[in-house]
Amino acid sequence: MVGGLLLGVAATLLIGSVGTHPQQARPPSGVQAPAEGTPLPGAASPIPPTGSGGAAAGPASGQAGPPACAPADLSVSATTDRARYQPGQTVTMRSSVVSRAAHACTVLARCAPPDVHAIFRPAPGGHSVDWYESSQGRACAQGVAAHVLQPGRAMGESDTRVASMPAGGQSCGTAVADLTAQVFLLGADAFVHAVQGTSTFSVAGPACPSPTPKGPLR
């Protein structure tokens, strides 16, 4: 019952949305009953178990769920198939989370962990630009849920998106993006913490025109 109480507390602490800094946590918005997701079979995307309305299925009424995972027991990764892309090329993104604990434990994430997003770094004089959020996160209308990780069994996602320059940002030169996969834990300090894995890729657009030299002041 303690695990269920802590997850209830987590529901009131998960606030905010996508940050402008690539390493800022993206806390989700609500908590459902614990559910065990589907291990990642190779590079295939997992399909989490669902109940009515698409919410993650939970244990029988009154059944206590596994305890929260310890951050030191988790390994989270995010990778792309290449380090550099031209606009129009396909970016293949893979992410996974695996627990090294000797027992089942619980993490917080959306429909299937880990949550994944990519943010373009700010250009000089500009600001960071959101580029990608995993389809699992976009499709999960129920917000965040508790997911059970079995020892040594990876859960993850594989997704593709066409490379492009940041919308509303720079249109030439090279744009660098940070890809982040993350899950959330309720810590002993009663705060929600993100456990993350990151990687970097770039999109190389057309060369920027040289600045026009200015003549001497008259």
Side-chain angles (χ1 to χ4, degrees):
M1 296 301 295
V2 174
L5 178 60
L6 290 179
L7 292 177
V9 175
T12 66
L13 296 173
L14 297 174
I15 58 174
S17 57
V18 179
T20 57
H21 191 284
Q23 296 303 315
Q24 182 175 347
R26 295 163 55 98
S29 57
V31 174
Q32 303 294 327
E36 181 176 348
T38 303
L40 178 65
S45 299
I47 303 176
T50 58
S52 59
S61 177
Q63 178 180 352
C69 298
D73 289 334
L74 296 178
S75 176
V76 183
S77 67
T79 62
T80 56
D81 59 333
R82 298 173 58 182
R84 187 179 179 90
Y85 301 88
Q86 300 291 330
Q89 292 182 326
T90 299
V91 181
T92 300
M93 295 163 283
R94 292 187 175 89
S95 60
S96 68
V97 55
V98 63
S99 170
R100 296 183 290 264
H103 52 78
C105 61
T106 303
V107 296
L108 302 176
R110 292 183 182 271
C111 290
D115 294 339
V116 183
H117 64 278
I119 298 176
F120 278 110
R121 295 178 183 176
H127 55 83
S128 60
V129 176
D130 293 337
W131 180 75
Y132 170 84
E133 182 180 9
S134 63
S135 57
Q136 292 282 3
R138 296 193 305 269
C140 187
Q142 299 299 323
V144 73
H147 294 266
V148 177
L149 300 183
Q150 297 296 341
R153 297 174 62 186
M155 297 177 65
E157 301 178 27
S158 177
D159 203 359
T160 60
R161 182 164 177 174
V162 175
S164 62
M165 298 297 286
Q170 67 186 91
S171 58
C172 62
T174 298
V176 179
D178 294 290
L179 179 69
T180 301
Q182 60 188 3
V183 294
F184 296 91
L185 300 172
L186 181 64
D189 56 2
F191 285 93
V192 174
H193 301 270
V195 180
Q196 300 179 328
T198 62
S199 64
T200 301
F201 66 91
S202 62
V203 179
C208 294
S210 301
T212 303
K214 296 182 180 179
L217 297 176
R218 295 178 181 273

